[in-house]
Amino acid sequence: MKHTLLIMIMALSFYTGMAQNTIIGTVTNAEDGTPLSQVSIYFPELEKGTATNTNGSFEITNIPNGNFELVISSLGFETFEQKMAISSHTGPLQIALVPSAIEMEEIIVSTPFHKLQSENVMKVERADIKELKGNGAITLSEGISNIAGVESITTGVGIGKPVIRGLSANRVLVYAQGVRLENQQFGSEHGLGINDAGLESVEVIKGPASLLYGSDAMGGVLYFNPEKFAQPNNTEGDVNLNYFTNTQGLGANAGIKTSTDKLKFLLRGSYASHIDYKTGDGERLTNSRFNEYDLKTGLGYQSSTIKTELRYNFNSTELGIPEEIGVQEKDRDPELPYQQIDNHILSSKTGIYFKNSSLNVSLGYIMNKRKEFEEEHDHGEEGEEEHEEEVHEEGPALDMNLSTFSYNAEYHLPELGKFETIIGVQGMHQTNSNFGEEVLIPDAKTNDIGVLATSHVHFEKRNGLQLGLRYDHRNISSEEPMELTSEILDRSFNSFNAALGYKLELFNKVTTRINLATGFRAPNLAELTSDGTHEGTNRYEIGDPDLNHEKNFQTDISLEYTNKHIEFFVNGFYNNINDYIFIQPNGEIIDEADVFAYVQEDAKLYGGEIGFHLHPHPIDWLHYDSSFETVIGKRKNDEYLPLIPANKLVNTIRVEGAGKSTWLNDEYAFITLRSIFEQNKVDEFETPSDNYNLVDLGLGGTFLFNKQPIEVRLSANNIFDKTYISHLSRLKTDSIANIGRNISMAVSIPF
């Protein structure tokens, strides 16, 4: 399959018989006809755009013939969106934008038809990474937990695993650079493996997305969009500095990007270092320190017939694995036990445009190298210092390489009336190899292939219907007999999945969405083969090679109301899961560790989110946001599932540009109250968690220094230094509190 795809891409890349069109036009204010500058003009499918000049004029070259969505957006105006037939006869465009206090809409790229959220049949949450960083988050995992319905299972501040509506680990698929991120995500003792530097936004699909992404997307998808290349014939760059008081954290990243009419290039490097974090009690959690290096680069080419880009990301992280509040020190190098995790992500994305159709192909190669250094070897009666030195000399106790090649080819058929249809094939080949003394999961291979077809049917008033069908096949095989059964593992899993969604404008400014979808997840190697002590989790884990694949059916209903003063939404879901896999203690002890075994049972999760946004006109600088989220998870026997987030209420008051300062631009300030409720709906092996309230503050803006714009941000999280323990903290069983007060300062300098 890999060779077939490569040959197909090479052959199609020579197709150059399409016309090259230039689109010109002007954008004005609909109220008074004045020209608008710095308005974004963008063709989402082509990933090509520009901005208007001071006269409101724009020009985009090398546009192929065909029907393409055009999106024109500017802060303070309604987003303009229209399907356009592009040809050599396309004349100058005259666009008048209507002033609006409603937030500017963005394109959603995690769903296949690249629609504005107001047009999307599936509800997708989108957040700017810059905005999440402005809230003072130390890590990306912490930042995305500010999105309603998204939480994080944490081990200190450096280790976090995303949770979407109560589902986590392999049930949440992460996409970066347009390819699926594979980095032993079943493990709870390491983080996402990507850095927020060089990321533009994140989109969250909450619910089964197996139709679009296959196995492991039954709980949802986190889709991270990389920063865009510079606009044609432009060069730009920036330097960003961060400091965090609690962890004495240092962060810095710098990037540069340049583009001609057809060629594009970008480069960004970053570094972060943190000492042990301090709790609200004033004690530091020993070995919660971590260091991270990250490099991202990209090369692109675009003409009227083809666009292609090649991106590479290297991420290296040293993560201390905290176990206790011990020696109070401020070292930055992790103690034993700790992990060294290296991620290499190489991806390519190519779009080829025909007269009324297009082909998009994404290829990805990921090498995940994971090493764990532990204090467990017997060296006789040597001193502690010599003992530690010899452990380092011996190398890692756990040394695993996970290599993954993935492919995704989607063909957008010519539109037929109101039907917009995509057919596609996706898959991956994955190899896990062990080189250390310990073997957590065996040497094994995983092969995936899936085929899909999905259509979007357009009706009047932006109403729409989306439906699709998919078939997947996954095979998992070990190279050596498993220690658990002394047999070779060779399992295959097959699944049909379907999705149906409908978006309807019930009344003026009132929209409802109804989505029905199935999903599946094949058990991972840890669940099938584990038989040993997992030092990262301090327990002895036992798998089950006869586990079935999980299958779920989820119903989502959302209702939204929007006018120039108020935005309101309510989302509800019911998720029924057959053969849900989870781990629980069985009462035994092996090698002085509690034994945890993987088991299966039918389960259900239900709940939702409610949100409210007030921005009264004409005082558009004032914003009040409120959101509430709740999830309940139960097994078939009516007992509660483990690791279900507590209910949460978040209220934020934010002001933007209220003072109309002459020396500070884009100024803002906010205060947030996060109220986390008591969680007493817990698994029989969990303990309830208390309620608590956290208060955050922040302010920032941009000023000119010798004509150089400088952006500054200041935020203070948990300003009252509250001592609390999150229900999703893996340190909860040891009564270790989460991070206390943390003040962050950031400076960004563009050039």
Side-chain angles (χ1 to χ4, degrees), residues 105-169:
E105 283 195 86
E106 300 287 350
I107 297 294
I108 302 299
V109 301
S110 57
T111 53
F113 298 103
H114 289 194
K115 303 294 183 185
L116 296 173
Q117 182 54 60
S118 61
E119 289 193 316
N120 227 22
V121 173
M122 181 184 298
K123 181 67 180 292
V124 179
E125 302 286 349
R126 183 188 183 281
D128 289 329
I129 299 299
K130 180 180 177 180
E131 186 176 311
L132 297 179
K133 292 170 67 175
N135 292 331
I138 291 179
T139 62
L140 187 57
S141 294
E142 181 185 353
I144 61 176
S145 64
N146 290 315
I147 301 171
V150 182
E151 296 294 337
S152 184
I153 298 174
T154 63
T155 308
V157 294
I159 303 174
K161 306 296 289 187
V163 180
I164 298 179
R165 287 178 168 175
L167 296 179
S168 59

Side-chain angles (χ1 to χ4, degrees), residues 501-685:
Y502 187 65
K503 173 185 169 292
L504 173 67
E505 289 194 8
L506 286 174
F507 312 104
N508 185 30
K509 303 185 184 302
V510 177
T511 301
T512 185
R513 291 179 173 88
I514 301 175
N515 283 274
L516 310 174
T518 65
F520 91 107
R521 183 183 74 89
N524 60 50
L525 279 170
E527 295 163 339
L528 293 169
T529 66
S530 290
D531 185 26
T533 302
H534 189 179
E535 298 295 337
T537 55
N538 299 312
R539 62 194 185 194
Y540 193 102
E541 297 183 0
I542 297 179
D544 181 353
D546 296 321
L547 291 172
N548 297 320
H549 69 265
E550 298 177 335
K551 186 82 174 179
N552 73 327
F553 177 78
Q554 180 165 312
T555 301
D556 282 273
I557 299 177
S558 69
L559 185 69
E560 303 164 38
Y561 172 77
T562 302
N563 66 21
K564 66 179 182 179
H565 303 290
I566 296 172
E567 296 173 51
F568 171 80
F569 71 86
V570 55
N571 305 323
F573 75 94
Y574 187 91
N575 189 1
N576 190 75
I577 306 177
N578 294 328
D579 294 319
Y580 181 82
I581 302 170
F582 59 100
I583 192 169
Q584 65 179 15
N586 63 9
E588 299 179 12
I589 296 178
I590 299 179
D591 296 337
E592 301 181 352
D594 292 329
V595 176
F596 282 67
Y598 287 99
V599 296
Q600 274 188 311
E601 189 174 335
D602 292 349
K604 58 185 177 183
L605 296 98
Y606 52 92
E609 304 89 33
I610 298 175
F612 175 79
H613 180 195
L614 173 67
H615 43 96
H617 191 70
I619 50 174
D620 303 334
W621 49 265
L622 177 64
H623 298 259
Y624 170 65
D625 287 280
S626 181
S627 67
F628 174 77
E629 58 188 84
T630 180
V631 179
I632 296 175
K634 288 187 175 183
R635 293 152 57 180
K636 186 177 180 180
N637 61 9
D638 219 33
E639 294 182 0
Y640 291 105
L641 291 173
L643 295 175
I644 299 298
N647 295 345
K648 182 169 71 172
L649 175 65
V650 179
N651 289 282
T652 299
I653 296 176
R654 183 182 180 94
V655 295
E656 298 177 346
K660 305 298 182 184
S661 171
T662 58
W663 62 275
L664 191 65
N665 298 316
D666 302 322
E667 65 269 29
Y668 71 88
F670 70 87
I671 179 170
T672 297
L673 172 64
R674 288 182 284 155
S675 301
I676 289 79
F677 294 80
E678 178 184 8
Q679 178 58 295
N680 50 25
K681 298 179 175 63
V682 297
D683 177 76
E684 61 178 317
F685 299 105

Side-chain angles (χ1 to χ4, degrees), residues 379-491:
H379 296 273
E381 299 181 358
E382 294 92 336
E384 182 177 341
E385 182 176 341
E386 182 180 352
H387 169 83
E388 182 173 326
E389 183 179 347
E390 292 193 18
V391 172
H392 279 279
E393 288 176 356
E394 286 190 5
L398 185 71
D399 189 349
M400 304 166 62
N401 284 0
L402 184 71
S403 64
T404 305
F405 170 77
S406 63
Y407 56 89
N408 178 17
E410 294 180 348
Y411 180 59
H412 294 237
L413 277 68
E415 291 189 26
L416 184 62
K418 297 180 178 180
F419 282 80
E420 192 176 351
T421 301
I422 295 173
I423 58 174
V425 58
Q426 296 176 348
M428 73 173 185
H429 173 74
Q430 187 174 87
T431 302
N432 185 75
S433 304
N434 288 278
F435 302 96
E437 184 178 317
E438 293 182 4
V439 177
L440 184 62
I441 56 176
D443 293 355
K445 288 182 170 59
T446 301
N447 286 286
D448 257 1
I449 187 169
V451 292
L452 71 125
T454 180
S455 292
H456 187 111
V457 187
H458 303 270
F459 299 119
E460 299 298 326
K461 296 182 179 180
R462 291 192 172 185
N463 297 334
L465 174 72
Q466 189 171 323
L467 66 164
L469 184 67
R470 180 186 178 114
Y471 172 76
D472 281 278
H473 172 80
R474 169 172 286 193
N475 176 262
I476 304 175
S477 60
S478 64
E479 297 183 2
E480 300 289 341
M482 298 177 289
E483 293 186 13
L484 190 63
T485 63
S486 300
E487 296 178 355
I488 294 285
L489 174 71
D490 190 0
R491 295 285 310 277

Side-chain angles (χ1 to χ4, degrees), residues 328-398:
Q328 300 292 289
E329 57 187 12
K330 297 182 179 180
D331 288 348
R332 295 183 181 271
D333 294 328
E335 297 180 348
L336 299 173
Y338 75 93
Q339 289 199 43
Q340 172 70 49
I341 303 174
D342 293 340
N343 257 356
H344 300 265
I345 306 174
L346 179 65
S347 65
S348 72
K349 185 168 66 171
T350 301
I352 303 167
Y353 303 100
F354 310 103
K355 185 174 182 180
N356 293 306
S357 62
S358 63
L359 175 68
N360 293 299
V361 179
S362 296
L363 304 175
Y365 178 75
I366 298 176
M367 172 58 75
N368 173 255
K369 297 184 176 183
R370 176 178 171 193
K371 299 178 180 180
E372 188 171 293
F373 299 85
E374 304 166 0
E375 283 184 298
E376 63 166 21
H377 308 335
D378 184 9
H379 296 273
E381 299 181 358
E382 294 92 336
E384 182 177 341
E385 182 176 341
E386 182 180 352
H387 169 83
E388 182 173 326
E389 183 179 347
E390 292 193 18
V391 172
H392 279 279
E393 288 176 356
E394 286 190 5
L398 185 71

Side-chain angles (χ1 to χ4, degrees), residues 111-344:
T111 53
F113 298 103
H114 289 194
K115 303 294 183 185
L116 296 173
Q117 182 54 60
S118 61
E119 289 193 316
N120 227 22
V121 173
M122 181 184 298
K123 181 67 180 292
V124 179
E125 302 286 349
R126 183 188 183 281
D128 289 329
I129 299 299
K130 180 180 177 180
E131 186 176 311
L132 297 179
K133 292 170 67 175
N135 292 331
I138 291 179
T139 62
L140 187 57
S141 294
E142 181 185 353
I144 61 176
S145 64
N146 290 315
I147 301 171
V150 182
E151 296 294 337
S152 184
I153 298 174
T154 63
T155 308
V157 294
I159 303 174
K161 306 296 289 187
V163 180
I164 298 179
R165 287 178 168 175
L167 296 179
S168 59
N170 279 85
R171 299 179 185 91
V172 174
L173 190 60
V174 177
Y175 258 62
Q177 298 178 192
V179 297
R180 59 185 294 155
L181 183 62
E182 292 289 321
N183 63 346
Q184 308 285 17
Q185 59 265 35
F186 69 86
S188 57
E189 71 288 352
H190 61 96
L192 282 171
I194 52 177
N195 186 276
D196 56 29
L199 298 181
E200 183 176 276
S201 63
V202 58
E203 297 173 15
V204 184
I205 300 176
K206 294 182 284 190
S210 292
L211 171 69
L212 304 178
Y213 297 103
S215 178
D216 302 345
M218 65 175 293
V221 175
L222 291 172
Y223 196 100
F224 291 98
N225 293 308
E227 66 176 310
K228 294 184 177 71
F229 290 99
Q231 292 184 0
N233 302 309
N234 273 288
T235 298
E236 56 191 75
D238 57 81
V239 175
N240 306 277
L241 305 173
N242 296 272
Y243 178 73
F244 303 90
T245 59
N246 186 289
T247 61
Q248 296 183 16
L250 305 171
N253 77 80
I256 187 169
K257 49 188 177 181
T258 185
S259 295
T260 65
D261 276 336
K262 294 185 177 182
L263 291 175
K264 311 171 185 179
F265 173 77
L266 61 80
L267 176 68
R268 182 170 299 276
S270 69
Y271 167 75
S273 177
H274 297 263
I275 68 171
D276 298 340
Y277 80 78
K278 187 187 298 183
T279 70
D281 292 327
E283 296 180 302
R284 294 195 181 275
L285 174 59
T286 306
N287 209 28
S288 59
R289 63 202 72 166
F290 65 97
N291 301 293
E292 183 178 23
Y293 301 86
D294 190 86
L295 174 70
K296 293 183 176 74
T297 188
L299 181 66
Y301 172 82
Q302 186 164 18
S303 68
S304 63
T305 59
I306 185 171
K307 68 174 176 66
T308 185
E309 65 180 52
L310 182 69
R311 292 182 185 254
Y312 171 71
N313 177 206
F314 171 67
N315 182 275
S316 180
T317 309
E318 276 188 332
L319 286 168
I321 300 177
E323 298 176 333
E324 62 178 358
I325 293 179
V327 177
Q328 300 292 289
E329 57 187 12
K330 297 182 179 180
D331 288 348
R332 295 183 181 271
D333 294 328
E335 297 180 348
L336 299 173
Y338 75 93
Q339 289 199 43
Q340 172 70 49
I341 303 174
D342 293 340
N343 257 356
H344 300 265

